[in-house]
Amino acid sequence: MSTSLPIHPSDVSQTREKDEKITPRPSFEDDTISGNDEPMPMDEPQAISEKPRIPPTDPQDSPNNTDVTECSPTDDREPPADAVAELEAARRTSTGRPVHSVFTKRQKQYIVFMASWAGFFSPLSANIYFPALNTLASELRVSSELINLTLTSYMIFQGLAPTVFGDLADMTGRRPTYLLCFVIYIAANIGLALQNNYAALLVLRCLQSTGSSGTVALANGVVADVASSSERGIYMGYAMAGPMVGPAIGPVLGGILSQFLGWKAIFWFLTIMAAVFLVPFLLSFPETGRNVVGNGSVPPPLWDTSLLSYLKTRHHPRNDPLTRTRTREDELAAQAALAATRKLRLPNPLKTIHIILEKDVGLILLYNAIVYTAFYDVMSTLPSLFAEIYGFNDLQIGLSFIPFGVGCSLASILCGQLIDRNYRRVAAAAGIAIDRRRGEDMRGFPIERARLQVAWPLLAVGTACIAAYGWVLQRNAPLAAPLVLHFLMGLSLTGAFNIMSILLVDLYPRSPATATAANNLCRCLMGAAGTAVIIQMVDAMGRGWCFTFVAAVVLGASPLLWVVQTRGPRWREERRVRVERREAAKATRRAAKGAG
């Protein structure tokens, strides 16, 4: 296995054999590749729709299992040309099928680590701000309700921005979208550090949210690019580890900076952190978008290539001039074929509406938004309630978020392992063999049950903790009691978020960033509404009854997941048939156009 930084897929060079068969360079030997060759079922299609040229030798490789259909009702791309399939076919499994991803296990880990680091900025920016709320209200001479509007506006744009960036990433690739996000984010942080009035704070927080919030959706898209459903739980757990660390250390850092350096230091710190991230990103992060590089075999355009990948490609020795010419021609043909399937246009945020209107997806999004709102209601009221009950300053309030963040961080890793283990258990019970290199045919797989079975106990614990939390605060209990409940809520509710997010990617693997954007849109808009009224609810109902009501809403909506678990497979099959018919109609029109 290679121990160097990620090698760009363009390093997969080819040599000319006597029989003109193209084989990969030795650095990508079979025993170093941990990528998985996904089969091409309705609900787990590949970005490359050509069938391999080598006849299948395994019964599972029959034509019935290699038909290409779309999962997303909003994806209207045409199949790539033969040139793409030829490059991807250079890496085959023992059954003659191209691997799902040419990236090695170490390369995948690095890619997911960078995506996780990028996703860290969105929750960090939201949570590092909490300890300074009381100070900002005092210095800007506004009420707590108005300061809470900066949280509400942040969450609104946290939901809206990914609908644009998700579509843009699925259309143009991951790297350029990441760069655009961070340019906006850094500019907003500089403005926040220089402003001195409430109106500027409100507007620039919206811009800050716009830049940072797209990174979480992009992280899910990156995982879908390089990992198949059988290993998606653990890789999604790694990708979500960064966003979950934000709630753990964000308030602590915010409390320290606000207490000793002033609240403006928070935004200078975020500016420096983002600039530090961009250095290794620009140097080494490869493009992974499957509509740009396929399974990684097709090199991206020069402007979308990392510096390290460019240098490796430029200086790699090629001894056979004929091989060099043929390989370069193949790469250019494959690039042109994939480029022909991408229509560059303005991002369409309405694509997320199509996803939301699907029955199974709509129910998942609704319930996930309800749970997220309950979670954020607890976090957004912590500064004011702890200052009122325990007399905490900014630093002490920041430290109070640590149990929350620790629980969130553990959830991202532990739940990923539980999800993959339950996936294997359900597959064994259904008599389906797990193939990490090729993936499984999701048409007959109960993916809804495999995912949601893990969520039920977590939701039960989280709902009980929300109700208990209100009465602990009502009785002014010792500090240890709410902190323990914070840890349990962070562990259980965050675990439930991650499970439902993974299920959404399973249902829409071809447009994972857009599916995640739909998730962010629903939960952030509902969360924004919740944070806008939660302080008034606490004042009117009291702490105990307010959070009991919140827990009751979560419990009352839980049958939505039962409906998804029982009826979701049928709805998924109906969507598969509908999209298959649409693709057949497109093929007929293309054939008629070609004949004319």
Side-chain angles (χ1 to χ4, degrees):
M1 178 181 298
S2 173
T3 57
S4 62
L5 286 176
I7 303 173
H8 191 271
S10 61
D11 287 338
V12 187
S13 61
Q14 302 160 338
T15 58
R16 186 181 181 216
E17 302 291 341
K18 293 181 180 180
D19 60 356
E20 295 297 320
K21 179 180 179 181
I22 299 175
T23 57
R25 207 178 73 206
S27 63
F28 277 95
E29 290 291 88
D30 282 341
D31 60 352
T32 68
I33 291 181
S34 62
N36 301 286
D37 177 31
E38 292 277 302
M40 296 183 175
M42 171 56 56
D43 292 298
E44 189 71 21
Q46 289 198 353
I48 303 305
S49 57
E50 288 288 341
K51 298 179 184 178
R53 297 182 179 276
I54 297 179
T57 59
D58 190 289
Q60 291 178 329
D61 289 318
S62 64
N64 291 335
N65 286 332
T66 56
D67 288 343
V68 176
T69 51
E70 295 283 355
C71 181
S72 170
T74 64
D75 195 345
D76 57 358
R77 292 178 301 224
E78 297 180 358
D82 289 347
V84 181
E86 289 175 357
L87 274 186
E88 290 204 336
R91 298 308 304 143
R92 294 182 183 274
T93 62
S94 59
T95 59
R97 298 282 302 282
V99 295
H100 175 67
S101 174
V102 300
F103 294 109
T104 66
K105 182 177 181 180
R106 186 173 293 273
Q107 290 167 347
K108 285 184 182 181
Q109 290 172 343
Y110 177 80
I111 290 169
V112 173
F113 166 75
M114 291 297 293
S116 180
W117 186 3
F120 166 72
F121 286 94
S122 180
L124 174 69
S125 303
N127 289 276
I128 200 172
Y129 184 69
F130 282 138
L133 292 180
N134 297 333
T135 300
L136 279 166
S138 175
E139 290 196 13
L140 299 181
R141 298 179 182 179
V142 295
S143 65
S144 296
E145 287 78 9
L146 285 178
I147 284 295
N148 260 27
L149 283 180
T150 64
L151 297 178
T152 301
S153 61
Y154 186 95
M155 294 183 67
I156 290 174
F157 279 82
Q158 197 174 30
L160 294 176
T163 64
V164 175
F165 291 122
D167 185 32
L168 182 65
D170 287 335
M171 178 174 55
T172 64
R174 315 301 182 201
R175 270 180 58 88
T177 309
Y178 269 124
L179 290 175
L180 177 60
C181 286
F182 276 94
V183 168
I184 296 172
Y185 179 71
I186 290 174
N189 280 318
I190 294 174
L192 284 165
L194 298 176
Q195 57 81 30
N196 287 293
N197 64 79
Y198 176 76
L201 175 68
L202 185 65
V203 172
L204 289 171
R205 278 284 287 177
C206 294
L207 189 62
Q208 182 193 44
S209 176
T210 299
S212 65
S213 58
T215 58
V216 177
L218 291 174
N220 290 354
V222 168
V223 171
D225 292 336
V226 301
S228 63
S229 58
S230 61
E231 62 178 357
R232 192 166 290 151
I234 189 66
Y235 276 112
M236 192 71 81
Y238 294 151
M240 290 297 102
M244 292 304 105
V245 170
I249 68 173
V252 179
L253 293 174
I256 293 173
L257 293 170
S258 177
Q259 184 73 23
F260 297 108
L261 298 177
W263 58 267
K264 290 189 176 183
I266 292 174
F267 303 110
W268 286 121
F269 173 80
L270 293 175
T271 301
I272 295 170
M273 282 282 292
V276 169
F277 165 80
L278 283 179
V279 174
F281 179 87
L282 291 172
L283 290 175
S284 60
F285 188 83
E287 177 59 64
T288 64
R290 298 184 72 84
N291 60 338
V292 178
V293 297
N295 68 353
S297 300
V298 182
L302 182 62
W303 59 269
D304 195 12
T305 304
S306 69
L307 178 61
L308 183 62
S309 299
Y310 171 74
L311 292 176
K312 285 182 177 291
T313 302
R314 181 178 179 182
H315 295 294
H316 178 67
R318 296 176 181 180
N319 299 322
D320 187 347
L322 181 59
T323 299
R324 178 175 64 247
T325 302
R326 178 176 179 178
T327 299
R328 183 56 180 164
E329 290 176 352
D330 289 343
E331 291 176 351
L332 291 174
Q335 287 178 348
L338 280 175
T341 68
R342 302 192 305 271
K343 297 179 180 179
L344 296 182
R345 50 174 172 72
L346 290 176
N348 181 13
L350 295 180
K351 289 185 70 175
T352 59
I353 303 300
H354 294 284
I355 295 178
I356 294 172
L357 293 179
E358 294 290 338
K359 289 177 284 190
D360 52 348
V361 176
L363 294 180
I364 295 171
L365 293 176
L366 175 59
Y367 189 73
N368 200 24
I370 291 172
V371 177
Y372 182 82
T373 301
F375 177 84
Y376 222 81
D377 282 345
V378 174
M379 294 192 69
S380 63
T381 55
L382 189 153
S384 59
L385 291 178
F386 272 38
E388 177 184 343
I389 298 171
Y390 304 108
F392 280 4
N393 59 29
D394 289 353
L395 176 59
Q396 292 169 320
I397 289 173
L399 294 174
S400 299
F401 280 90
I402 292 179
F404 238 136
V406 172
C408 293
S409 301
L410 288 177
S412 63
I413 302 300
L414 296 179
C415 288
Q417 296 175 347
L418 289 175
I419 290 167
D420 283 349
R421 181 177 300 176
N422 195 61
Y423 182 98
R424 294 190 294 269
R425 185 186 66 82
V426 172
I432 300 175
I434 299 295
D435 189 341
R436 289 181 175 270
R437 295 174 68 83
R438 296 170 52 201
E440 295 73 50
D441 190 335
M442 305 303 293
R443 280 176 286 188
F445 190 87
I447 188 64
E448 294 85 357
R449 176 156 55 91
R451 301 309 192 199
L452 295 179
Q453 280 180 342
V454 184
W456 289 113
L458 296 175
L459 289 169
V461 173
T463 303
C465 288
I466 293 172
Y469 177 71
W471 293 106
V472 162
L473 296 182
Q474 182 74 25
R475 302 296 181 183
N476 294 337
L479 180 62
L483 294 184
V484 169
L485 291 173
H486 283 173
F487 170 79
L488 293 176
M489 283 186 282
L491 179 64
S492 57
L493 296 180
T494 301
F497 297 155
N498 291 348
I499 291 168
M500 288 182 273
S501 297
I502 292 171
L503 179 56
L504 286 171
V505 174
D506 289 329
L507 297 177
Y508 279 87
R510 286 286 293 275
S511 300
T514 304
T516 304
N519 187 21
N520 283 349
L521 177 65
C522 293
R523 72 181 190 176
C524 289
L525 291 183
M526 187 175 291
T531 57
V533 300
I534 188 62
I535 290 181
Q536 290 85 345
M537 289 175 61
V538 170
D539 292 340
M541 303 171 65
R543 303 164 194 157
W545 285 114
C546 176
F547 287 103
T548 299
F549 172 78
V550 172
V553 173
V554 175
L555 179 63
S558 59
L560 295 176
L561 291 187
W562 178 83
V563 173
V564 172
Q565 185 171 319
T566 55
R567 300 187 181 182
R570 177 166 61 85
W571 292 337
R572 179 158 47 96
E573 176 65 14
E574 291 173 356
R575 180 166 63 247
R576 182 190 70 82
V577 173
R578 184 174 69 247
V579 176
E580 190 174 48
R581 290 174 178 170
R582 188 186 68 184
E583 291 300 312
K586 284 184 179 180
T588 301
R589 289 195 298 268
R590 286 195 299 267
K593 184 178 180 181

